[in-house]
Structure formats: C-alpha cells, structure tokens
PDB file of all heavy atoms in Angstrom:
ATOM      1  N   HIS W   1      23.760  46.739 -37.719  1.00  0.00           N
ATOM      2  CA  HIS W   1      23.222  47.702 -38.638  1.00  0.00           C
ATOM      3  C   HIS W   1      21.899  48.425 -37.965  1.00  0.00           C
ATOM      4  O   HIS W   1      21.017  47.659 -37.741  1.00  0.00           O
ATOM      5  CB  HIS W   1      22.958  47.181 -39.906  1.00  0.00           C
ATOM      6  CG  HIS W   1      24.224  46.630 -40.627  1.00  0.00           C
ATOM      7  ND1 HIS W   1      25.257  47.330 -40.887  1.00  0.00           N
ATOM      8  CD2 HIS W   1      24.534  45.249 -40.915  1.00  0.00           C
ATOM      9  CE1 HIS W   1      26.146  46.584 -41.565  1.00  0.00           C
ATOM     10  NE2 HIS W   1      25.698  45.389 -41.520  1.00  0.00           N
ATOM     11  N   GLY W   2      21.991  49.702 -37.789  1.00  0.00           N
ATOM     12  CA  GLY W   2      20.828  50.528 -37.432  1.00  0.00           C
ATOM     13  C   GLY W   2      20.478  50.282 -36.021  1.00  0.00           C
ATOM     14  O   GLY W   2      20.915  49.391 -35.292  1.00  0.00           O
ATOM     15  N   PRO W   3      19.705  51.369 -35.557  1.00  0.00           N
ATOM     16  CA  PRO W   3      19.247  51.289 -34.113  1.00  0.00           C
ATOM     17  C   PRO W   3      18.418  50.038 -33.631  1.00  0.00           C
ATOM     18  O   PRO W   3      18.685  49.466 -32.685  1.00  0.00           O
ATOM     19  CB  PRO W   3      18.287  52.571 -34.123  1.00  0.00           C
ATOM     20  CG  PRO W   3      18.702  53.495 -35.251  1.00  0.00           C
ATOM     21  CD  PRO W   3      19.121  52.395 -36.328  1.00  0.00           C
ATOM     22  N   VAL W   4      17.660  49.426 -34.577  1.00  0.00           N
ATOM     23  CA  VAL W   4      16.988  48.234 -34.205  1.00  0.00           C
ATOM     24  C   VAL W   4      17.881  47.071 -34.145  1.00  0.00           C
ATOM     25  O   VAL W   4      17.733  46.381 -33.046  1.00  0.00           O
ATOM     26  CB  VAL W   4      15.772  47.945 -35.321  1.00  0.00           C
ATOM     27  CG1 VAL W   4      15.129  46.511 -34.975  1.00  0.00           C
ATOM     28  CG2 VAL W   4      14.885  48.950 -35.304  1.00  0.00           C
ATOM     29  N   GLY W   5      18.683  46.870 -35.044  1.00  0.00           N
ATOM     30  CA  GLY W   5      19.624  45.797 -34.943  1.00  0.00           C
ATOM     31  C   GLY W   5      20.609  45.829 -33.726  1.00  0.00           C
ATOM     32  O   GLY W   5      21.010  44.884 -33.073  1.00  0.00           O
ATOM     33  N   ARG W   6      21.028  47.110 -33.387  1.00  0.00           N
ATOM     34  CA  ARG W   6      21.924  47.283 -32.216  1.00  0.00           C
ATOM     35  C   ARG W   6      21.118  47.081 -30.873  1.00  0.00           C
ATOM     36  O   ARG W   6      21.833  46.569 -30.036  1.00  0.00           O
ATOM     37  CB  ARG W   6      22.444  48.757 -32.323  1.00  0.00           C
ATOM     38  CG  ARG W   6      23.458  49.001 -33.349  1.00  0.00           C
ATOM     39  CD  ARG W   6      23.862  50.410 -33.791  1.00  0.00           C
ATOM     40  NE  ARG W   6      24.667  50.344 -34.868  1.00  0.00           N
ATOM     41  CZ  ARG W   6      25.014  51.423 -35.586  1.00  0.00           C
ATOM     42  NH1 ARG W   6      24.404  52.525 -35.426  1.00  0.00           N
ATOM     43  NH2 ARG W   6      25.886  51.207 -36.689  1.00  0.00           N
ATOM     44  N   GLU W   7      19.918  47.492 -30.872  1.00  0.00           N
ATOM     45  CA  GLU W   7      19.226  47.240 -29.582  1.00  0.00           C
ATOM     46  C   GLU W   7      19.051  45.695 -29.492  1.00  0.00           C
ATOM     47  O   GLU W   7      19.103  45.252 -28.325  1.00  0.00           O
ATOM     48  CB  GLU W   7      17.846  47.910 -29.517  1.00  0.00           C
ATOM     49  CG  GLU W   7      17.027  47.642 -28.406  1.00  0.00           C
ATOM     50  CD  GLU W   7      15.663  48.450 -28.329  1.00  0.00           C
ATOM     51  OE1 GLU W   7      15.459  49.401 -29.127  1.00  0.00           O
ATOM     52  OE2 GLU W   7      14.901  48.010 -27.536  1.00  0.00           O
ATOM     53  N   LYS W   8      18.657  44.990 -30.433  1.00  0.00           N
ATOM     54  CA  LYS W   8      18.539  43.578 -30.357  1.00  0.00           C
ATOM     55  C   LYS W   8      19.789  42.868 -29.945  1.00  0.00           C
ATOM     56  O   LYS W   8      19.874  42.048 -29.001  1.00  0.00           O
ATOM     57  CB  LYS W   8      18.137  42.927 -31.842  1.00  0.00           C
ATOM     58  CG  LYS W   8      16.650  43.248 -32.001  1.00  0.00           C
ATOM     59  CD  LYS W   8      16.377  42.557 -33.517  1.00  0.00           C
ATOM     60  CE  LYS W   8      14.889  42.846 -33.824  1.00  0.00           C
ATOM     61  NZ  LYS W   8      14.511  42.251 -35.192  1.00  0.00           N
ATOM     62  N   ALA W   9      20.952  43.354 -30.560  1.00  0.00           N
ATOM     63  CA  ALA W   9      22.150  42.689 -30.011  1.00  0.00           C
ATOM     64  C   ALA W   9      22.554  42.989 -28.760  1.00  0.00           C
ATOM     65  O   ALA W   9      23.135  42.190 -27.993  1.00  0.00           O
ATOM     66  CB  ALA W   9      23.325  43.311 -31.003  1.00  0.00           C
ATOM     67  N   LEU W  10      22.330  44.284 -28.239  1.00  0.00           N
ATOM     68  CA  LEU W  10      22.505  44.591 -26.868  1.00  0.00           C
ATOM     69  C   LEU W  10      21.686  43.836 -25.826  1.00  0.00           C
ATOM     70  O   LEU W  10      22.080  43.402 -24.747  1.00  0.00           O
ATOM     71  CB  LEU W  10      22.346  46.056 -26.641  1.00  0.00           C
ATOM     72  CG  LEU W  10      23.507  46.973 -27.240  1.00  0.00           C
ATOM     73  CD1 LEU W  10      22.924  48.483 -27.180  1.00  0.00           C
ATOM     74  CD2 LEU W  10      24.768  46.842 -26.585  1.00  0.00           C
ATOM     75  N   ARG W  11      20.411  43.679 -26.345  1.00  0.00           N
ATOM     76  CA  ARG W  11      19.495  42.760 -25.341  1.00  0.00           C
ATOM     77  C   ARG W  11      20.059  41.296 -25.388  1.00  0.00           C
ATOM     78  O   ARG W  11      20.011  40.748 -24.227  1.00  0.00           O
ATOM     79  CB  ARG W  11      18.147  42.838 -26.053  1.00  0.00           C
ATOM     80  CG  ARG W  11      17.355  44.143 -25.710  1.00  0.00           C
ATOM     81  CD  ARG W  11      15.859  43.975 -26.152  1.00  0.00           C
ATOM     82  NE  ARG W  11      15.153  45.250 -25.989  1.00  0.00           N
ATOM     83  CZ  ARG W  11      14.613  45.611 -24.814  1.00  0.00           C
ATOM     84  NH1 ARG W  11      14.762  44.935 -23.812  1.00  0.00           N
ATOM     85  NH2 ARG W  11      13.999  46.770 -24.747  1.00  0.00           N
ATOM     86  N   ARG W  12      20.459  40.724 -26.470  1.00  0.00           N
ATOM     87  CA  ARG W  12      21.040  39.358 -26.563  1.00  0.00           C
ATOM     88  C   ARG W  12      22.208  39.292 -25.571  1.00  0.00           C
ATOM     89  O   ARG W  12      22.449  38.230 -24.865  1.00  0.00           O
ATOM     90  CB  ARG W  12      21.490  38.946 -27.785  1.00  0.00           C
ATOM     91  CG  ARG W  12      20.292  38.567 -28.855  1.00  0.00           C
ATOM     92  CD  ARG W  12      20.837  37.795 -29.960  1.00  0.00           C
ATOM     93  NE  ARG W  12      21.812  38.537 -30.737  1.00  0.00           N
ATOM     94  CZ  ARG W  12      21.528  39.378 -31.690  1.00  0.00           C
ATOM     95  NH1 ARG W  12      20.468  39.681 -32.057  1.00  0.00           N
ATOM     96  NH2 ARG W  12      22.547  39.891 -32.324  1.00  0.00           N
ATOM     97  N   LEU W  13      22.908  40.345 -25.280  1.00  0.00           N
ATOM     98  CA  LEU W  13      24.106  40.384 -24.458  1.00  0.00           C
ATOM     99  C   LEU W  13      23.666  40.787 -23.029  1.00  0.00           C
ATOM    100  O   LEU W  13      24.636  41.152 -22.181  1.00  0.00           O
ATOM    101  CB  LEU W  13      25.146  41.378 -24.966  1.00  0.00           C
ATOM    102  CG  LEU W  13      25.877  40.968 -26.336  1.00  0.00           C
ATOM    103  CD1 LEU W  13      26.585  42.098 -26.969  1.00  0.00           C
ATOM    104  CD2 LEU W  13      26.844  39.721 -26.047  1.00  0.00           C
ATOM    105  N   GLY W  14      22.444  40.952 -22.801  1.00  0.00           N
ATOM    106  CA  GLY W  14      22.035  41.182 -21.297  1.00  0.00           C
ATOM    107  C   GLY W  14      21.725  42.624 -20.995  1.00  0.00           C
ATOM    108  O   GLY W  14      21.568  42.830 -19.744  1.00  0.00           O
ATOM    109  N   MET W  15      21.871  43.522 -21.884  1.00  0.00           N
ATOM    110  CA  MET W  15      21.655  44.925 -21.493  1.00  0.00           C
ATOM    111  C   MET W  15      20.180  45.209 -21.310  1.00  0.00           C
ATOM    112  O   MET W  15      19.336  44.644 -22.289  1.00  0.00           O
ATOM    113  CB  MET W  15      22.288  45.892 -22.653  1.00  0.00           C
ATOM    114  CG  MET W  15      23.848  45.729 -22.768  1.00  0.00           C
ATOM    115  SD  MET W  15      24.753  46.056 -21.401  1.00  0.00           S
ATOM    116  CE  MET W  15      25.126  44.387 -20.687  1.00  0.00           C
ATOM    117  N   ARG W  16      19.929  46.008 -20.435  1.00  0.00           N
ATOM    118  CA  ARG W  16      18.420  46.456 -20.264  1.00  0.00           C
ATOM    119  C   ARG W  16      18.340  47.962 -19.821  1.00  0.00           C
ATOM    120  O   ARG W  16      19.449  48.533 -19.505  1.00  0.00           O
ATOM    121  CB  ARG W  16      17.848  45.609 -19.041  1.00  0.00           C
ATOM    122  CG  ARG W  16      17.793  44.197 -19.307  1.00  0.00           C
ATOM    123  CD  ARG W  16      16.755  43.858 -20.395  1.00  0.00           C
ATOM    124  NE  ARG W  16      16.604  42.336 -20.587  1.00  0.00           N
ATOM    125  CZ  ARG W  16      17.353  41.702 -21.560  1.00  0.00           C
ATOM    126  NH1 ARG W  16      18.272  42.239 -22.195  1.00  0.00           N
ATOM    127  NH2 ARG W  16      17.140  40.399 -21.535  1.00  0.00           N
ATOM    128  N   GLY W  17      17.175  48.537 -19.952  1.00  0.00           N
ATOM    129  CA  GLY W  17      16.814  49.768 -19.396  1.00  0.00           C
ATOM    130  C   GLY W  17      17.655  50.928 -20.112  1.00  0.00           C
ATOM    131  O   GLY W  17      17.848  50.939 -21.349  1.00  0.00           O
ATOM    132  N   ARG W  18      18.288  51.764 -19.268  1.00  0.00           N
ATOM    133  CA  ARG W  18      19.030  52.927 -19.822  1.00  0.00           C
ATOM    134  C   ARG W  18      20.286  52.507 -20.673  1.00  0.00           C
ATOM    135  O   ARG W  18      20.635  53.342 -21.543  1.00  0.00           O
ATOM    136  CB  ARG W  18      19.487  53.822 -18.675  1.00  0.00           C
ATOM    137  CG  ARG W  18      18.316  54.428 -17.862  1.00  0.00           C
ATOM    138  CD  ARG W  18      18.820  55.077 -16.672  1.00  0.00           C
ATOM    139  NE  ARG W  18      19.900  56.095 -16.859  1.00  0.00           N
ATOM    140  CZ  ARG W  18      20.759  56.700 -15.875  1.00  0.00           C
ATOM    141  NH1 ARG W  18      20.526  56.469 -14.614  1.00  0.00           N
ATOM    142  NH2 ARG W  18      21.624  57.625 -16.323  1.00  0.00           N
ATOM    143  N   MET W  19      20.735  51.399 -20.492  1.00  0.00           N
ATOM    144  CA  MET W  19      21.912  50.987 -21.188  1.00  0.00           C
ATOM    145  C   MET W  19      21.506  50.689 -22.788  1.00  0.00           C
ATOM    146  O   MET W  19      22.356  50.609 -23.544  1.00  0.00           O
ATOM    147  CB  MET W  19      22.540  49.706 -20.674  1.00  0.00           C
ATOM    148  CG  MET W  19      23.064  49.927 -19.273  1.00  0.00           C
ATOM    149  SD  MET W  19      24.126  48.625 -18.659  1.00  0.00           S
ATOM    150  CE  MET W  19      25.680  49.108 -19.137  1.00  0.00           C
ATOM    151  N   LEU W  20      20.256  50.682 -22.985  1.00  0.00           N
ATOM    152  CA  LEU W  20      19.858  50.349 -24.346  1.00  0.00           C
ATOM    153  C   LEU W  20      19.719  51.625 -25.173  1.00  0.00           C
ATOM    154  O   LEU W  20      19.652  51.746 -26.450  1.00  0.00           O
ATOM    155  CB  LEU W  20      18.432  49.708 -24.397  1.00  0.00           C
ATOM    156  CG  LEU W  20      18.458  48.299 -23.916  1.00  0.00           C
ATOM    157  CD1 LEU W  20      17.014  47.748 -23.892  1.00  0.00           C
ATOM    158  CD2 LEU W  20      19.341  47.369 -24.705  1.00  0.00           C
ATOM    159  N   LYS W  21      19.778  52.786 -24.426  1.00  0.00           N
ATOM    160  CA  LYS W  21      19.720  54.078 -25.113  1.00  0.00           C
ATOM    161  C   LYS W  21      20.892  54.412 -26.093  1.00  0.00           C
ATOM    162  O   LYS W  21      20.746  55.200 -27.101  1.00  0.00           O
ATOM    163  CB  LYS W  21      19.728  55.336 -24.110  1.00  0.00           C
ATOM    164  CG  LYS W  21      18.338  55.327 -23.417  1.00  0.00           C
ATOM    165  CD  LYS W  21      18.204  56.460 -22.422  1.00  0.00           C
ATOM    166  CE  LYS W  21      17.002  56.516 -21.726  1.00  0.00           C
ATOM    167  NZ  LYS W  21      16.900  57.787 -20.690  1.00  0.00           N
ATOM    168  N   VAL W  22      21.987  53.758 -26.025  1.00  0.00           N
ATOM    169  CA  VAL W  22      23.210  53.934 -26.753  1.00  0.00           C
ATOM    170  C   VAL W  22      22.789  53.509 -28.175  1.00  0.00           C
ATOM    171  O   VAL W  22      23.465  53.996 -29.170  1.00  0.00           O
ATOM    172  CB  VAL W  22      24.346  53.209 -26.222  1.00  0.00           C
ATOM    173  CG1 VAL W  22      24.302  51.684 -26.464  1.00  0.00           C
ATOM    174  CG2 VAL W  22      25.682  53.773 -26.886  1.00  0.00           C
ATOM    175  N   ALA W  23      21.844  52.585 -28.407  1.00  0.00           N
ATOM    176  CA  ALA W  23      21.552  52.115 -29.690  1.00  0.00           C
ATOM    177  C   ALA W  23      21.004  53.149 -30.553  1.00  0.00           C
ATOM    178  O   ALA W  23      20.905  53.065 -31.756  1.00  0.00           O
ATOM    179  CB  ALA W  23      20.401  50.850 -29.497  1.00  0.00           C
ATOM    180  N   LEU W  24      20.573  54.303 -29.979  1.00  0.00           N
ATOM    181  CA  LEU W  24      19.884  55.384 -30.805  1.00  0.00           C
ATOM    182  C   LEU W  24      20.967  56.373 -30.964  1.00  0.00           C
ATOM    183  O   LEU W  24      20.594  57.400 -31.713  1.00  0.00           O
ATOM    184  CB  LEU W  24      18.710  55.989 -30.029  1.00  0.00           C
ATOM    185  CG  LEU W  24      17.572  55.105 -29.672  1.00  0.00           C
ATOM    186  CD1 LEU W  24      16.434  55.775 -28.776  1.00  0.00           C
ATOM    187  CD2 LEU W  24      16.897  54.450 -30.930  1.00  0.00           C
TER     188      LEU W  24
END
C-alpha cells in the first residue's frame, strides 16, 4: 500500500537506485 510501502517492499527484494522510482 502506498509509495512508502512499495519502496520498502522493493528494497527488501534487492531493488536500488532508479528501479525504486516506480514506487512513486
């Protein structure tokens, strides 16, 4: 849920840098 939750989930899955922009 939401940009913050999505960024946290993506980080847990190893995503970094530009790949985190999709959370927004």
Side-chain angles (χ1 to χ4, degrees):
H1 299 293
V4 175
R6 288 164 181 166
E7 182 177 341
K8 286 181 178 179
L10 291 171
R11 286 186 181 278
R12 284 196 303 271
L13 291 166
M15 300 298 100
R16 297 291 185 270
R18 294 172 56 189
M19 300 192 84
L20 296 173
K21 289 184 178 180
V22 72
L24 302 174

